[in-house]
Amino acid sequence: MIKHLSILLGFSLLSSAVYLDNKLLKVTKYNIRSEKIPKEFNEFKIIHLSDFHNYVFNKENTMVIKKISIENPDIIVMTGDMVNKYDTKFNQFLELVRKLSQRYKIYYIIGNHEKKLKKDDLDLIINELNLSNVNVINNNSKVIISRRNKVINIYGLDIPLEFYKVRNRPTNITTVVDAVLNRCNMDEYNILLTHNPLFFETYSKHNVDLILAGHVHGGMIRIPFIGGVLSPERKFFPKYSGGLYEINKKKLIVSKGIGHSKPGVRVCNMPEIVSITLLNS
């Protein structure tokens, strides 16, 4: 009898934890320090959203909006997969953007899910983003943010779909990355928005100081002290599943994302909003 009660209690606790991991939302904060950050941008705050997947936390996603409002960011960046490849309506995401864009400047890049949409659907999303004054960054774009004649730069990197394949993936992404990041000025602070973090080693060879990415959903299931279990490519224990990483002073922050595609469930992996504060030091 006691054994059965223990099993039932354990199952109930696990079920509750999984439920909360998929219904609650946390804010993960990072302080990024660099001598390259102009003092004019000291305490400049960036909210990083990724992998929203047209999700709904509560009515009209007021939880998301409230948590962002508390952070009071200077800008918001979105690093792709904000909708699903199989969606035919995008109301949740577009309504969230409309509300956020009334208060904040938003910079957006597409992910692999957007790239798989029908052309008419992707065109509709891009048009709606433009109407909300969202800056949609592509490989040919460079955004310069100025404060008293000092700047930080934001680049976007659109990874071709073939680099997301499980099989027959091209082995050399250098040409794709070089075409965007060879333009980075080493004397200025450069931020890269890219959906896929798995090529961090290649990004880090360029004059880019901070890379913001998503895609891996935190590995869906996370094991304490080990990390994420599975990437969207069905690769076990992906190297960059969520959190802060560094190579040669180049920093990568991987968002664990907000939603998930179908089928999907999070375990020990609560959805997150990432809040980043730049510090001159």
Side-chain angles (χ1 to χ4, degrees):
M1 183 67 175
I2 295 177
K3 180 179 179 181
H4 290 164
L5 287 174
S6 298
I7 293 172
L8 181 60
L9 178 61
F11 179 78
S12 298
L13 290 173
L14 178 61
S15 298
S16 298
V18 170
Y19 176 82
L20 293 175
D21 277 338
N22 288 269
K23 292 299 181 182
L24 296 184
L25 177 66
K26 67 178 181 179
V27 176
T28 304
K29 300 183 181 184
Y30 298 95
N31 289 333
I32 300 297
R33 300 178 182 275
S34 173
E35 295 178 353
K36 291 182 64 178
I37 297 171
K39 65 180 185 298
E40 289 80 2
F41 286 88
N42 192 49
E43 298 188 355
F44 187 86
K45 185 173 286 187
I46 303 169
I47 286 292
H48 174 202
L49 304 179
S50 192
D51 299 276
F52 180 67
H53 287 285
N54 217 23
Y55 202 68
V56 183
F57 276 97
N58 52 2
K59 187 177 180 180
E60 298 179 346
N61 280 301
T62 52
M63 185 191 302
V64 177
I65 295 169
K66 182 178 180 180
K67 287 183 179 292
I68 291 174
S69 177
I70 291 171
E71 289 300 300
N72 190 29
D74 293 281
I75 63 172
I76 296 174
V77 301
M78 299 180 176
T79 56
D81 281 12
M82 301 302 282
V83 299
N84 294 301
K85 62 185 177 183
Y86 44 75
D87 287 341
T88 57
K89 295 182 179 180
F90 314 98
N91 298 347
Q92 297 298 332
F93 166 57
L94 294 176
E95 185 60 28
L96 176 65
V97 167
R98 290 186 193 104
K99 291 179 178 179
L100 291 176
S101 65
Q102 293 174 10
R103 290 190 57 187
Y104 313 105
K105 185 62 182 174
I106 301 175
Y107 302 91
Y108 171 91
I109 61 167
I110 66 174
N112 56 298
H113 273 255
E114 287 99 337
K115 291 176 74 69
K116 291 180 179 179
L117 289 171
K118 295 178 181 178
K119 183 180 183 303
D120 288 348
D121 286 339
L122 181 56
D123 288 346
L124 182 149
I125 290 173
I126 299 300
N127 183 62
E128 290 293 330
L129 293 174
N130 289 332
L131 290 174
S132 294
N133 293 316
V134 173
N135 193 322
V136 180
I137 306 176
N138 57 41
N139 286 356
N140 298 317
S141 303
K142 172 186 174 182
V143 173
I144 301 173
I145 301 178
S146 300
R147 282 189 170 181
R148 297 187 293 278
N149 296 321
K150 298 296 183 179
V151 304
I152 60 175
N153 303 311
I154 301 179
Y155 293 84
L157 179 56
D158 181 357
I159 300 293
L161 274 177
E162 54 263 34
F163 288 94
Y164 289 92
K165 292 179 179 178
V166 178
R167 298 179 180 178
N168 301 319
R169 175 188 292 170
T171 57
N172 190 355
I173 197 173
T174 302
T175 302
V176 176
V177 176
D178 286 355
V180 174
L181 297 186
N182 277 350
R183 297 177 287 147
C184 292
N185 184 338
M186 67 178 298
D187 296 322
E188 297 175 341
Y189 192 78
N190 301 305
I191 299 172
L192 172 66
L193 308 183
T194 185
H195 184 61
N196 196 328
L198 304 180
F199 306 107
F200 181 31
E201 286 85 355
T202 304
Y203 307 150
S204 67
K205 295 176 182 177
H206 295 78
N207 295 319
V208 59
D209 303 286
L210 175 63
I211 300 106
L212 305 180
H215 182 56
V216 188
H217 302 177
M220 295 308 296
I221 300 170
R222 293 187 71 81
I223 299 176
F225 309 109
I226 295 178
V229 172
L230 189 64
S231 78
E233 289 83 6
R234 303 297 185 265
K235 180 178 179 180
F236 285 105
F237 303 106
K239 190 173 184 179
Y240 306 114
S241 62
L244 175 64
Y245 306 88
E246 183 171 341
I247 298 176
N248 298 326
K249 296 184 178 181
K250 313 296 176 66
K251 293 181 172 62
L252 166 69
I253 295 176
V254 182
S255 168
K256 299 182 184 73
I258 296 179
H260 53 71
S261 55
K262 298 177 181 178
V265 63
R266 292 172 175 265
V267 179
C268 299
N269 181 27
M270 192 176 291
E272 70 174 1
I273 294 170
V274 174
S275 179
I276 301 160
T277 301
L278 303 183
L279 299 171
N280 169 262
S281 63

